[in-house]
Amino acid sequence: MSSKKNTVDLVIPIYNEEGVVQHTHKRICSVVDLLAHEIHFIYVDDGSSDGTADTLRAISANDPRVTVLQLSRNFGHQAALTAGLDASTAEIVVSLDGDGQHPPEVIPQMIDFILQGFDIVQGQRAEASDPSIFKNVTSKIFYSLLNIVSGTTVLPGAADFRAMSRQAVDGLKSMPEYHRFLRGMVSWMGYKAVILPYQETSRIAGKSKYSLGKMIRLASDAIFSFSLTPLYIGLSTGLLFLILACIQIVYVSNLWLTGQFDRIVPGWSSLMAIILIASGTIMILLGFIGVYIGYIFQEIKRRPVYLIRGENKDEQ
Ligand code: UDP
Ligand code: MG
């Protein structure tokens, strides 16, 4: 086996893409065959129920550079990508979709960036060719919401089309969390990253495997695993209620002190004060529990406390 320095693994998740995968493989080959690097394909069959498995078997029979990982059932795009990244061993790992929407023509440029010393080359969709306005609008809303509530900034239009150095892949592998939103996890890691815009093309065949349900699940994985804000809502609402209680007490005391007894309905002030103070206190206590749950949540994710980019290397 030659030195790993020059090796590139291509990780490609595939789910029910029998009409596409042969074409995808040919197209990728026409690009990477011109490269001097040792290329390896890792196709991850995410529990396809059509003829994809047979097609992939035929591809790997004809091309010794191809490995096919077959998942036991459909686990979803992010899980399939994770399986492929876990199986990769090369110095440079590129992940791309198998439906032709991530142009392989960009791969040489991605590899060049990694060789220049970048750890992550993040593909960014320049302009969606997808005629679905629904997908574009929901994607915009999703990224704005995510970036408001989460401490990790995720680039709008970022795709799971990226190249990573071995160091970055190992960093990702040290994050064993179950609910995975790889775009966020990659951004959380830091490292030296560069954005590479690409023009997304239409699917070669078939239709999107991201059903509305899968999109919602990905969005909720992203928001809930990257933000503790929902847990802390109790604290701010509770505080708001206590402020309202103070305003109410000042208001009623003022009526009392100025002798405007006729404006005070008997029983109203004490009842209001008790309701506001009690609910404010309960919400604040719920907020405290939220804070503890947030701590537990962070602990059980078992993310590393830090990642090291280099030792005795003077890179800026
Ligand atoms: N995919 C997968 N498992 C799934 C859904 C999708 O492996 O459960 C693959 C799919 O075959 C494709 C890539 O992930 O190669 C991206 O999916 P898709 O093109 O359907 O998503 P979209 O481009 O519509 O966001
Ligand atoms: Mg696609």
Side-chain angles (χ1 to χ4, degrees), residues 153-314:
T153 313
V154 182
L155 190 72
D160 283 311
F161 182 26
R162 70 175 75 81
M164 283 186 279
S165 66
R166 171 66 11 211
Q167 176 163 257
V169 177
D170 287 342
L172 212 50
K173 283 169 76 174
S174 69
M175 299 163 77
E177 61 215 65
Y178 178 77
H179 291 281
R180 302 178 80 76
F181 176 60
L182 286 164
R183 280 158 243 181
M185 290 162 70
V186 167
S187 162
W188 180 89
M189 288 201 299
Y191 287 126
K192 221 173 146 184
V194 60
I195 297 162
L196 185 64
Y198 69 91
Q199 205 73 39
E200 193 177 77
T201 42
S202 301
R203 258 181 167 272
I204 299 169
K207 55 181 175 45
S208 172
K209 303 301 171 310
Y210 261 98
S211 57
L212 185 63
K214 277 186 177 167
M215 266 164 70
I216 292 173
R217 205 166 64 202
L218 182 70
S220 84
D221 276 357
I223 300 221
F224 291 112
S225 65
F226 275 88
S227 168
L228 297 179
T229 312
L231 281 174
Y232 299 155
I233 290 173
L235 282 182
S236 36
T237 343
L239 212 61
L240 185 73
F241 270 60
L242 289 188
I243 292 171
L244 285 179
C246 290
I247 294 174
Q248 192 252 357
I249 289 167
V250 170
Y251 171 70
V252 174
S253 311
N254 182 46
L255 293 181
W256 265 82
L257 293 174
T258 51
Q260 303 176 61
F261 300 109
D262 53 324
R263 294 189 58 193
I264 306 172
V265 181
W268 179 84
S269 345
S270 49
L271 206 61
M272 273 313 275
I274 287 170
I275 290 174
L276 287 172
I277 292 172
S279 38
T281 316
I282 291 169
M283 280 185 209
I284 286 183
L285 290 179
L286 272 178
F288 284 150
I289 292 174
V291 173
Y292 281 108
I293 291 178
Y295 274 72
I296 296 169
F297 179 61
Q298 300 285 39
E299 290 291 340
I300 57 165
K301 268 200 272 189
R302 302 233 58 82
R303 279 193 191 171
V305 179
Y306 56 83
L307 292 165
I308 290 175
R309 176 149 69 90
E311 227 179 292
N312 296 332
K313 271 197 268 174
D314 198 14

